Amino acid sequence: MPSAFSWHTALVNFGVGAYTMSIDKKLERSNKERVFRRLAKVLEPTGFHLGKSRFFTRASLPVIEFVHLHKFSFAPSFRVHVGIRVVNDPFVAVALNGPNSDEIVSPTGARYDFQYCEDDESVDRCVSKIAEFVSNVAEPWFGLFRNRTLLIIA
């Protein structure tokens, strides 16, 4: 008889990360909100502001640069998406058109892991790692499109 499906095994096998602990859903939601609030404070000096849609946005006209956190439903963890949007773009939805944390490795060669647990320390660690991703990956990518010629041909 085949063994029961295991999210932990699936996540490890497919390289998404390892979710090995159980966390109360109410506490998980509360800590998710703490990640957003703390990250907003960390990113504010760089010009990013947290909007109602859970996008951190920064105007660099004629584009809006954004960082979006996707909260996984199966784990207390995030994937980070980066993108830009031309202000007068008539397309209705925001396109996640930049790099994301699943496809990028850190400068040490490790995969980015934005997981948090029940404790305050893990929330701070998650915020710190997301801020590092923004600094090391998002900012250089945004910088490419500040050359408006590149933006026009992209």
Side-chain angles (χ1 to χ4, degrees):
M1 174 177 229
S3 63
F5 178 79
S6 162
W7 270 112
H8 172 65
T9 303
L11 294 173
V12 170
N13 289 342
F14 293 107
V16 176
Y19 175 60
T20 57
M21 64 170 293
S22 176
I23 182 172
D24 175 71
K25 285 296 183 185
K26 187 175 179 181
L27 180 58
E28 182 178 337
R29 280 189 304 276
S30 172
N31 282 354
K32 174 190 79 167
E33 295 304 319
R34 289 168 59 207
V35 167
F36 275 101
R37 285 191 307 272
R38 290 179 188 182
L39 186 61
K41 288 180 183 177
V42 169
L43 295 181
E44 187 175 32
T46 64
F48 282 100
H49 300 284
L50 178 59
K52 290 180 183 176
S53 61
R54 301 314 225 179
F55 279 76
F56 293 88
T57 60
R58 175 173 66 190
S60 180
L61 298 176
V63 300
I64 301 294
E65 300 168 339
F66 66 85
V67 175
H68 171 66
L69 303 185
H70 170 81
K71 166 64 179 69
F72 291 112
S73 61
F74 56 80
S77 184
F78 295 97
R79 175 175 48 234
V80 180
H81 292 271
V82 175
I84 60 170
R85 180 178 174 100
V86 176
V87 175
N88 63 352
D89 184 355
F91 189 65
V92 179
V94 174
L96 302 175
N97 54 10
N100 72 69
S101 57
D102 282 352
E103 60 190 28
I104 305 287
V105 293
S106 73
T108 64
R111 288 186 140 313
Y112 282 97
D113 177 19
F114 307 119
Q115 186 170 305
Y116 60 91
C117 303
E118 297 155 330
D119 59 294
D120 205 44
E121 207 173 276
S122 71
V123 170
D124 287 339
R125 188 172 44 254
C126 180
V127 168
S128 177
K129 288 180 179 183
I130 294 170
E132 177 186 315
F133 180 84
V134 170
S135 177
N136 293 341
V137 176
E139 290 292 5
W141 188 80
F142 291 141
L144 294 173
F145 296 98
R146 293 198 184 111
N147 174 345
R148 299 310 182 206
T149 305
L150 278 177
L151 183 62
I152 292 168
I153 62 173

